[in-house]
């Protein structure tokens, strides 16, 4: 597995957690929730790209 992907996901998680806490403490709960959802979407897109690469590799491996 690509270690860089794990570090990118961890960095996004840390950044989103810090932003979330800052926004909640300043009274902007709605924006904190949107920041969390945006971070989740970014990570999901990254994972979907890797899953797509995996399916392409399996397809080429079995000649489908």
């Amino acid at each position: 597995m690509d270690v860089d992907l794990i570090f990118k996901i961890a960095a996004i998680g840390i950044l989103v957690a810090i932003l979330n806490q800052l926004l909640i403490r300043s009274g902007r709960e709605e924006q904190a929730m949107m920041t969390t959802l945006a971070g989740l979407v970014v990570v999901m897109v990254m994972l979907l790209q890797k899953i797509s690469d995996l399916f392409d590799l399996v397809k080429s491996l079995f000649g489908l």
Side-chain angles (χ1 to χ4, degrees), residues 5-63:
L5 179 66
I6 295 171
F7 287 140
K8 286 179 185 177
I9 292 173
I12 291 170
I14 292 169
L15 182 64
V16 166
I18 291 171
L19 285 174
N20 191 12
Q21 290 299 317
L22 287 173
L23 288 170
I24 286 176
R25 290 187 190 264
S26 67
R28 299 178 178 176
E29 288 83 13
E30 295 87 10
Q31 291 165 340
M33 179 63 72
M34 293 303 291
T35 303
T36 303
L37 289 175
L40 182 65
V41 167
V42 168
V43 170
M44 292 303 262
V45 167
M46 290 169 55
L47 289 177
L48 283 175
Q49 289 173 350
K50 291 298 181 179
I51 290 171
S52 174
D53 292 343
L54 175 66
F55 283 144
D56 289 339
L57 178 65
V58 169
K59 190 189 301 185
S60 67
L61 182 66
F62 291 112

